[in-house]
Amino acid sequence: MTGEDNILKLVDAEESESGEYHLQDQVGFILRRAQQRHVAIFSSYISDLTPPQFAALAKLRDVGGDTSQNQLGALVAMDAATVKGVIDRLRARGLVELSRHDGDRRRLLVSLTVEGRRTVDALIPLATRITEETLSPLSPKEVATFLKLLARLA
Amino acid sequence: MTGEDNILKLVDAEESESGEYHLQDQVGFILRRAQQRHVAIFSSYISDLTPPQFAALAKLRDVGGDTSQNQLGALVAMDAATVKGVIDRLRARGLVELSRHDGDRRRLLVSLTVEGRRTVDALIPLATRITEETLSPLSPKEVATFLKLLARLA
DNA sequence: CCAAATTCATTCGTACACAAATGATACCAG
DNA sequence: CTGGTATCATTTGTGTACGAATGAATTTGG
């Protein structure tokens, strides 16, 4: 930090050691806006399900068998309280159903109903397009780079 | 989709045309997890203010003069209803104050109180470290690349 | 085998986030 | 000047998101 390092300005050019702090250039802020844009794209394709609801269904689809609510939560990165709300709403719509685990009476198994399964299957192609549109400002090569770096931050 | 195009696998290698859909590999999902990690880091450094609250304060700090609630909302990417809640809470804590615009009685001007100003100033160094820690899994060069690409998605 | 620690789910409270509806004010065209 | 339109803020309703507390059931250590 003693003088020679203005070469490093390329690295953190957004604010460097100048004492300035610009909200616009902070990862957290940009991350939040990217999220917002993604959610907007999502709901333009799928308006009757939220991203977390879809995530739960998609995950249930690829684990196949039943999972407990907590386990599912871990898989879709939601805490217990959040998962409960999501599952409750999906259940109210008949897309998932709950049953007790036999052998461990604490556990509540979640599974797709026939309609839930049909619904997710039908939405997968749209979900793929949502991903594509979200990434559309980047070239294929940039997409690959971006996803690799983003995954390291998650 | 008829056979020859496995060359394209480099492009969307995460799932390609195989019919598989893995939630883990979708931008939206990873973006959400990256957000979660960032928020966790944020609150480990600043536990008495949320990221949106800090964003509002930081923005007020760098616009200097007063701004209307809606204008501030645009600057920090929050809609009118969300901004109202954030400002209400900051006001309850004495960090910002509101006044009527003279000449346009619809507008509600938001400004930092002395304490609000002191608070943000004191938090800026922590905010810088939050950004650094969030980006710490990446090398400086990767950070530059990542921020450039992320900004294009936001 | 039993008490202590752990796990699963639920509940409560707080804080975004956004759509839609509403009321007040301001602006603009005719 | 006036009626239509746009803007600012607020309110309501729904849906995440998470910390903390609670109770029931299971697991573990001694």
Side-chain angles (χ1 to χ4, degrees):
Chain A
M1 306 286 184
T2 49
E4 213 71 302
D5 52 2
N6 27 20
I7 297 106
L8 290 179
K9 284 203 171 176
L10 284 171
V11 167
D12 52 336
E14 342 77 39
E15 49 108 20
S16 72
E17 72 297 291
S18 67
E20 294 294 333
Y21 176 87
H22 298 303
L23 186 64
Q24 294 71 33
D25 303 322
Q26 309 302 311
V27 222
F29 183 71
I30 312 176
L31 221 38
R32 191 167 129 270
R33 292 202 301 118
Q35 250 298 113
Q36 287 173 343
R37 173 170 166 275
H38 170 71
V39 173
I41 292 170
F42 185 100
S43 70
S44 77
Y45 281 92
I46 301 178
S47 58
D48 61 341
L49 230 44
T50 63
Q53 286 167 8
F54 175 76
L57 294 180
K59 202 54 186 177
L60 282 172
R61 177 179 180 267
D62 73 56
V63 298
D66 314 72
T67 338
S68 76
Q69 230 176 234
N70 272 10
Q71 276 176 287
L72 181 61
L75 294 171
V76 296
M78 297 178 205
D79 76 357
T82 301
V83 153
K84 189 194 187 315
V86 172
I87 294 302
D88 277 354
R89 286 180 284 274
L90 291 174
R91 189 162 66 98
R93 295 176 49 180
L95 301 176
V96 302
E97 53 192 1
L98 301 176
S99 56
R100 283 282 162 196
H101 183 103
D102 32 310
D104 189 342
R105 276 172 308 185
R106 288 169 309 179
R107 291 196 188 149
L108 205 49
L109 298 178
V110 188
S111 50
L112 289 174
T113 59
V114 174
E115 188 187 341
R117 171 78 197 196
R118 215 167 34 72
T119 302
V120 209
D121 285 348
L123 293 176
I124 296 292
L126 289 181
T128 302
R129 292 189 48 197
I130 290 167
T131 293
E132 284 167 11
E133 185 166 333
T134 299
L135 293 169
S136 66
L138 307 181
S139 73
K141 199 168 299 186
E142 289 170 330
V143 165
T145 304
F146 177 73
L147 290 178
K148 203 165 50 185
L149 298 177
L150 180 61
R152 301 242 303 276
L153 292 192
Chain B
M1 308 288 181
T2 48
E4 215 70 302
D5 52 0
N6 28 19
I7 298 109
L8 290 178
K9 284 203 170 176
L10 283 171
V11 166
D12 52 335
E14 341 81 37
E15 47 107 20
S16 74
E17 72 296 290
S18 66
E20 294 294 333
Y21 176 88
H22 298 303
L23 186 64
Q24 294 72 33
D25 304 322
Q26 310 302 310
V27 224
F29 183 70
I30 313 177
L31 221 39
R32 192 166 128 271
R33 293 202 300 119
Q35 251 298 111
Q36 287 174 343
R37 174 170 165 274
H38 169 73
V39 173
I41 292 170
F42 185 101
S43 70
S44 77
Y45 281 93
I46 301 177
S47 57
D48 61 341
L49 230 45
T50 64
Q53 286 166 10
F54 175 76
L57 294 179
K59 203 56 188 178
L60 282 172
R61 178 179 180 266
D62 74 53
V63 297
D66 315 71
T67 337
S68 75
Q69 230 176 233
N70 271 8
Q71 275 176 288
L72 181 61
L75 294 172
V76 294
M78 296 177 206
D79 75 358
T82 302
V83 153
K84 188 193 186 315
V86 171
I87 294 302
D88 277 354
R89 286 179 286 272
L90 290 174
R91 189 162 67 99
R93 295 178 47 179
L95 301 177
V96 302
E97 53 192 3
L98 300 177
S99 56
R100 282 283 162 198
H101 182 103
D102 33 308
D104 188 342
R105 276 172 308 184
R106 289 169 309 179
R107 291 195 187 150
L108 204 48
L109 298 177
V110 187
S111 49
L112 288 174
T113 59
V114 174
E115 188 188 342
R117 171 78 196 194
R118 216 167 32 73
T119 301
V120 208
D121 285 349
L123 292 177
I124 298 291
L126 289 182
T128 301
R129 293 190 46 200
I130 289 166
T131 293
E132 285 167 11
E133 185 166 333
T134 298
L135 293 170
S136 66
L138 306 182
S139 73
K141 198 168 300 187
E142 289 170 329
V143 165
T145 303
F146 177 73
L147 290 177
K148 204 166 48 184
L149 298 178
L150 180 61
R152 301 242 304 277
L153 292 193

